[in-house]
């Protein structure tokens, strides 16, 4: 049983693939095999699921049919957005009710069936919204942007935002504990989610769909499903506390001399902008050079600086917010924390400034293949990882930063080592851009990056969970004791292991 | 093994007791008995604990000594603040390190020892504070007010505040998932707590002391300890995200015609005050009459109104905030949502206004014994519970609201049915004030109140957990499935049951 489709779209910008068909994971990773304990789906199973779903259009059946168009329909469900993994699922089920999800899972659990794709796109209703309390209750299959649009019409905002909002589902956001762009302002999902309905592998419906801000009657079990990546159950409904939509959004962009100055600027922003600070983003010089190289946009500032920051405020009074932001910028410039800065005068300008941050991953994708690390590191040392990684690659003679030089690809596969991210959350994106994928680069990066983070008590996965890619590396972020305690929980809720039908050999 | 002393001080104002010595729980509640599976503490056990703690002053030993002064020292640890329960613990241990807690629990688990009091007051160090990220790491025994004072000196604020801050410990706040006064603004502990260190009953140290805002590497097990009331482990350290301390606090107080108008006012406050709204409190007319009756203070407004609200803003710019609050008050008065209102001109006036809200429980305590319910109800029907409860008591002929009339106590034991609370959190305090405790009143209140809340999908315990008092009533807030799932967790972490050594017969 695979997790819902929502997860596939967590981030916005696909890494440029080597092109063509993605290799089957079973071939690319021969150490990951399907556990032989699990049954294969049969025509009889398909008949059962058809009966549960009550409609032929609610499933894509590649089990009893080998038609090419059906294979094409199933294909997207077997691939991840980074085009790194490809599974061999032959059946996609699209339940419409929690009861259907429950019957499907209970059946799979009994029959030890695995690798069926559950897609919740048909469970996409807004169940209720209370305009006074701001509590929204929705099906897990609602698209994030649809939920946010619904709230916008009612003066509220979904407390989570990310690039993939147009395609990702809210249930998947919860399952992966997505952080995104609004975390600094509205906090994480463990705080904003008030209730969850979920189905355990044995079909038990966990009814924790509370809409209350305060409820202290026993263990808060719903929290276990937030960030569990679907391994202990399928989230079917969500109740979430939604804040008032800010009436005014202001953006400033500035250049700084060093990472230390960026930290000082962040500290001042927190102090002076306080309750209206909604984003504080960091970009290094290399990242901005690449955006310019790819897009040809005119840079927001005249000079070149080693670091750039983008500050966003969101509040209920535009005049007040603008006054605070201007006073902040004057203050940090007079103290020479910031060397140059600009404040957007309207929404268009604000969006243009955001492109210098949001455009980084896409621009990198245009330059070549990218090794991506989305990690948390205590703020003081956050950027040091980029410098240390770059030094290692340089030492090995693998770096040539001349983007125009494609001739030396084989000799110098790495074109850039870039750092950017959510400074407000100590969340760094380390991206290593390569002209061609090269095993030498991989060996330099891993386990170095994970060990480096472990030493600083950071997290090897700030936002995107572990999945297949980082499962083997959990030991770098979690102790043996913690891994053991997590296995207990997994065994408690999914004793047959149907939610993770593969094993490592 | 009893939970830490911190829990005993969760709320600020003790209910007036019938006076004298509190009855032993074993006598007052003959249906709750100590499970005979558990061993009694012996002199040999005491010797072991002395060795672990390494200091005679780290324990109060009423096992090997029967001296009166020792019994007096132990007494406060056996009583709750409401003076409703009294245990018979004879040993208080005050460990200074996590390792000591681990050795003590492991020993108790092996020997099936129970009813030893663990007090963490000696584990009271600030471990670290990062002024840029605002992350504070402290021992669980730190007093809440001490932590907040430490943060105040560094421009930050503890994201939790409650009346008992001068005595309660942070570990106890987490164990009971305290909500308090700042929840509307800073969110709940599930969102603000970044890491926990805890000791399981078998001595295993759960090291989840992350200081990262984003960390998605497996199940978020620390969440289980928040609100578990110490039943699956002892919290020993806490990492928490602390916001910037607001530079300006403003308070307004106003009178309204009905609860419906209070809801409209709350909606406008959320919309117009948005990011600076830090409290929206509701008080009914009866509650204010009682405060005036007891204190003799001059009322903030000239007229009498059925309802009163207190609005607090906290922000980084006093002028901006005051302008927003004044504009809000003008707006709601022009729309006749609010009938009269006043804005505090300085901190003293602000504190005076707060007394009309914070003084309610204390004033009630002066009038007589109080039946207290701290519940969550969807906002629309929040106050209806007070009206329905009052009607029932009136029907039964038990109410006489003349506070001066004490002669009719036996005939009309109830002097007031009062509602107040955190409107911003849908958190109502229903208080029934009595001249004398009377079984007829109890029978009218329970299970009526719990059934009423269950019908509205509310919570019978918004803030103070279940404890002994509400354990039998969990079914009103949680389904059988959820209770079963919770028992699984309890059995997983505390298979010997040493954290709850009593049973119901």
């Amino acid at each position: 049983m695979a997790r819902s489709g929502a997860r596939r779209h967590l981030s916005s910008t696909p890494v440029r693939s080597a092109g063509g068909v993605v290799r089957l994971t079973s071939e690319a990773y021969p150490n990951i095999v399907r556990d032989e304990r699990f049954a294969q789906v049969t025509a009889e199973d398909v008949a059962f699921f058809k009966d549960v779903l009550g409609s032929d259009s609610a499933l894509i059946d590649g089990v009893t049919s080998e038609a090419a168009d059906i294979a094409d329909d199933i294909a997207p469900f077997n691939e991840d957005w980074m085009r790194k993994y490809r599974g061999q699922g032959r059946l996609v089920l699209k339940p419409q009710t929690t009861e259907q999800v429950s019957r499907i899972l209970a059946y799979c659990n009994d029959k030890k069936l695995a690798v069926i794709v559950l897609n919740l796109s048909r469970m996409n209703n807004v169940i209720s919204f209370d305009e006074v309390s701001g509590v929204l209750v929705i099906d897990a299959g609602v698209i994030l942007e649809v939920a946010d649009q619904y709230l916008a019409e009612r003066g509220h905002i979904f407390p989570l935002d990310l690039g993939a909002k147009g395609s990702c589902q809210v249930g998947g956001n919860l399952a992966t504990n997505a952080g995104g762009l609004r975390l600094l302002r509205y906090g994480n999902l463990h705080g904003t989610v008030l209730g969850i309905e979920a189905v355990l592998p044995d079909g038990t419906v966990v009814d924790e769909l509370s809409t209350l801000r305060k409820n202290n009657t026993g263990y808060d079990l719903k929290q276990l499903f937030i960030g569990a990546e679907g391994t202990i159950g399928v989230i079917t409904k969500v109740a979430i506390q939604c804040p008032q939509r800010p009436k005014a959004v202001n953006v400033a962009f500035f250049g700084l001399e060093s990472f230390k100055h960026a930290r000082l600027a962040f500290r001042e922003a927190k102090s002076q902008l306080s309750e209206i600070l909604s984003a504080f983003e960091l970009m290094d010089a290399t990242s901005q050079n690449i955006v310019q190289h790819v897009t040809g946009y005119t840079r927001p500032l005249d000079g070149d600086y080693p670091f750039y920051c983008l500050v966003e405020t969101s509040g209920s009074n535009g005049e007040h917010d603008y006054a605070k932001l201007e006073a902040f910028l004057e203050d940090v410039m007079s103290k020479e924390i910031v060397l140059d800065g600009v404040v957007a005068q309207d929404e268009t300008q604000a969006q243009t400034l955001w492109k210098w941050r949001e455009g980084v991953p896409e621009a990198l994708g245009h330059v070549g293949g990218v090794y991506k690390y989305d990690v948390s590191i205590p703020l003081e040392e956050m950027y040091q990882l980029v410098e240390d990684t770059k030094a290692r690659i340089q030492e090995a003679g693998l770096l040539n930063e001349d983007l125009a030089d494609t001739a030396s690809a084989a000799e110098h596969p790495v074109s850039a080592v870039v750092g950017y991210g959510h400074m407000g959350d100590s969340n760094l994106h380390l991206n290593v851009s390569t002209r061609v994928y090269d095993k030498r680069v991989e060996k330099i990066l891993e386990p170095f990056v994970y060990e480096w983070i472990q030493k600083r008590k950071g997290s090897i996965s700030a936002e995107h969970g572990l999945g297949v890619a980082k499962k083997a590396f959990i030991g770098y972020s979690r102790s043996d004791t913690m891994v053991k305690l997590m296995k207990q929980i997994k065994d408690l809720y999914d004793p047959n292991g149907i939610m993770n039908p593969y094993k490592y050999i």
Side-chain angles (χ1 to χ4, degrees), chain A:
Chain A
M1 181 65 47
R3 56 187 73 99
S4 107
R7 184 168 179 273
R8 301 172 56 247
H9 308 279
L10 191 68
S11 191
S12 55
T13 318
V15 173
R16 201 173 75 168
S17 125
V21 176
V22 181
R23 281 178 77 193
L24 284 173
T25 301
S26 59
E27 291 165 7
Y29 299 84
N31 62 320
I32 304 175
V33 297
R34 189 161 189 277
D35 198 317
E36 58 281 355
R37 289 184 298 125
F38 293 105
Q40 296 284 349
V41 191
T42 63
E44 190 193 340
D45 300 328
V46 174
F48 174 84
F49 292 131
K50 270 191 185 161
D51 182 54
V52 168
L53 296 171
S55 152
D56 282 3
S57 66
L59 62 169
I60 312 177
D61 171 16
V63 177
T64 62
S65 161
E66 290 185 6
D69 59 333
I70 289 178
D72 285 351
D73 287 349
I74 293 178
F77 293 96
N78 277 322
E79 262 180 47
D80 73 313
W81 69 271
M82 286 175 78
R83 310 202 67 207
K84 201 167 171 187
Y85 303 108
R86 186 153 68 93
Q88 300 176 70
R90 288 181 298 148
L91 188 61
V92 176
L93 305 182
K94 300 181 179 179
Q96 203 161 16
T97 67
T98 302
E99 197 228 331
Q100 288 174 356
V101 175
S102 169
R103 287 181 65 196
I104 291 166
L105 286 178
Y107 181 87
C108 290
N109 197 43
D110 283 349
K111 302 262 176 183
K112 310 272 187 302
L113 265 180
V115 200
I116 286 165
V117 177
L118 262 193
N119 179 282
L120 301 197
S121 59
R122 297 202 313 154
M123 293 173 69
N124 60 355
N125 291 310
V126 171
I127 296 160
S128 68
F129 178 63
D130 183 325
E131 297 206 19
V132 180
S133 68
V135 178
L136 175 74
V137 184
I138 49 176
D139 283 340
V142 173
I143 301 284
L144 178 57
E145 195 169 46
V146 173
D148 192 53
Q149 195 51 46
Y150 175 93
L151 289 163
E153 288 159 15
R154 287 153 184 86
H156 285 70
I157 190 168
F158 204 91
L160 170 76
D161 187 22
L162 39 82
K165 59 175 168 254
S167 59
C168 65
Q169 295 172 3
V170 169
N173 296 148
L174 263 70
T176 53
N177 190 25
L181 303 169
R182 290 176 188 162
L183 190 132
L184 178 65
R185 175 64 185 280
Y186 301 121
N188 60 45
L189 292 170
H190 288 290
T192 52
V193 171
L194 301 179
I196 281 178
E197 182 193 78
V199 182
L200 298 182
D202 71 359
T204 300
V205 177
V206 178
D207 180 8
E208 286 266 88
L209 204 60
S210 168
T211 59
L212 307 167
R213 284 182 76 119
K214 292 182 175 175
N215 182 12
N216 275 324
T217 51
Y219 308 130
D220 196 354
L221 295 178
K222 71 167 182 290
Q223 302 286 353
L224 289 178
F225 296 89
I226 300 175
E229 302 182 50
T231 58
I232 53 172
V234 174
I235 297 169
T236 47
K237 290 192 178 73
V238 176
I240 190 163
Q241 178 79 48
C242 300
Q244 207 67 28
R245 202 168 193 92
K247 297 188 181 84
V249 174
N250 286 299
V251 175
F253 186 98
F254 45 84
L256 311 100
E257 200 179 313
S258 71
F259 179 68
K260 190 184 152 202
H261 286 88
R263 278 178 53 225
L264 289 173
F266 175 55
R267 189 172 161 172
E268 289 299 330
K270 277 187 64 182
S271 168
Q272 297 180 38
L273 302 172
S274 197
E275 70 276 5
I276 59 167
L277 182 64
S278 56
F280 195 105
E281 302 287 316
L282 175 83
M283 297 82 72
D284 65 11
T286 312
S287 74
Q288 301 301 281
N289 292 340
I290 290 173
V291 172
Q292 190 177 25
H293 174 81
V294 171
T295 65
Y297 295 153
T298 308
R299 299 283 281 263
L301 304 175
D302 290 334
D304 282 332
Y305 304 95
F307 289 90
Y308 300 86
C309 288
L310 182 149
V311 173
E312 186 193 77
T313 66
S314 302
S316 56
N317 185 312
E319 270 175 52
H320 289 171
D321 296 359
Y322 191 84
K324 284 184 183 112
L325 187 57
E326 268 210 320
F328 159 71
L329 206 55
E330 267 170 38
D331 180 69
V332 287
M333 285 180 71
S334 75
K335 289 175 182 159
E336 292 183 3
I337 294 172
V338 158
L339 297 177
D340 193 12
V342 57
V343 180
Q345 297 301 312
D346 55 38
E347 211 185 308
T348 310
Q349 286 189 13
Q351 283 172 359
T352 303
L353 291 179
W354 261 113
K355 281 183 185 157
W356 290 92
R357 163 61 184 85
E358 293 196 300
V360 175
E362 191 171 344
L364 282 167
H366 279 91
V367 172
V370 186
Y371 292 95
K372 292 166 92 82
Y373 299 91
D374 182 354
V375 301
S376 281
I377 300 167
L379 198 60
E380 194 157 345
E381 296 194 83
M382 191 176 99
Y383 194 76
Q384 193 63 42
L385 174 61
V386 182
E387 287 175 354
D388 291 359
T389 304
K390 187 172 171 179
R392 267 176 75 85
I393 292 172
Q394 235 158 357
E395 260 171 49
L398 299 175
L399 183 66
N400 174 358
E401 287 186 293
D402 181 357
L403 294 174
D405 180 4
T406 50
S408 72
E411 201 182 335
H412 307 293
V414 177
S415 57
V417 181
V418 165
Y420 61 101
H422 313 294
M423 187 125 180
D425 311 323
S426 287
N427 180 189
L428 177 79
H429 300 291
L430 165 66
N431 282 196
V432 177
S433 184
T434 57
R435 294 182 174 83
V436 286
Y437 278 117
D438 189 308
K439 282 278 174 198
R440 287 178 299 166
V441 179
E442 247 168 76
K443 274 188 189 154
I444 280 194
L445 291 172
E446 294 180 18
F448 166 75
V449 169
Y450 297 129
E451 284 171 359
W452 194 100
I453 292 163
Q454 182 184 34
K455 270 184 211 146
R456 276 88 181 168
K457 296 197 172 178
S459 169
I460 62 165
S461 183
E463 290 203 272
H464 296 178
L466 292 169
V468 175
K470 279 170 276 190
K471 188 184 157 89
F473 299 112
I474 186 172
Y476 288 106
S477 274
R478 300 286 198 155
S479 68
D480 290 349
T481 303
M482 291 315 302
V483 172
K484 191 187 123 207
L485 290 173
M486 285 188 212
K487 281 190 179 141
Q488 281 181 347
I489 294 287
K490 171 72 181 170
D491 290 342
L492 184 65
Y493 292 118
D494 186 21
N496 292 338
I498 63 163
M499 309 302 262
N500 300 73
Y502 53 82
K503 65 177 183 183
Y504 289 81
I505 54 172

